[in-house]
Each structure stands twice: as structure tokens, then as C-alpha cells.
Amino acid sequence: MRLISRLASAAAAFSPTMAEAQTTDPQGSGPIVAALGWLQGTLLGNVATAVAVMAVAAVGFMMLTGRMNWRFGATVVIGIFILFGAGTIVAGIQSAAGG
């Protein structure tokens, strides 16, 4: 019983509390926010789509010819899903956290 109470108190001490998100950008961060927005648009726009299509095509071709293991090919595909789904993943985490 003593072990259970210690585990419960440790879990309560290390459990995350609801974080307050910043609703506005800090003063003077306009150029930085604009640059990061441009970078995000570039990385998730047509350039990223073209690179992802070429990566999937290359992985598929190498798998068909037997030159790549299946685990690495699956890692490439999962990485592409995470890259393009990052916004949705973050929105889901924020809604689960109550933000």
C-alpha cells in the first residue's frame, strides 16, 4: 500500500498541467514571424510536394529491384506523413491539452 501511495504522489508531481498559450506575438517579432511563415510555406508547398513525390518514387523503385530494406522504405513514407501532417498533429495535441 505504501508503494502505491508513493507512485500516486510521484505521478501527481510529474503530471503536466495545462499550459497557457501565448495569444499574441511578442513586440518586435514581426520580421522573425514573417520569415518563419515564408520558410513554412516553402517547406510545405510545391517544393516539398515535389521532393516527397520523388522520394516515394525512388523508394518504390529501389524496393521493386530489391535494393532497399522494407523498414527504411516505411520510415521514409512515415516521415513524409509526419512532415505534411504536422499542423494537424499539433492541433490535435492542443485540443487534447484543452487549449
Side-chain angles (χ1 to χ4, degrees):
M1 195 57 124
R2 192 171 176 186
L3 176 65
I4 295 173
S5 65
R6 284 185 183 176
L7 288 175
S9 63
F14 292 116
S15 66
T17 58
M18 189 170 126
E20 295 295 324
Q22 193 173 7
T23 57
T24 61
D25 294 328
Q27 184 178 4
S29 68
I32 296 171
V33 172
L36 291 175
W38 174 83
L39 184 64
Q40 178 185 8
T42 301
L43 290 177
L44 295 177
N46 294 334
V47 174
T49 304
V51 170
V53 167
M54 288 185 280
V56 170
V59 166
F61 181 73
M62 292 181 79
M63 284 182 174
L64 283 173
T65 59
R67 296 181 183 177
M68 179 180 289
N69 70 18
W70 291 88
R71 183 175 294 168
F72 182 72
T75 303
V76 169
V77 173
I78 290 170
I80 291 171
F81 281 128
I82 290 173
L83 176 68
F84 288 112
T88 306
I89 293 169
V90 170
I93 292 171
Q94 285 178 341
S95 68

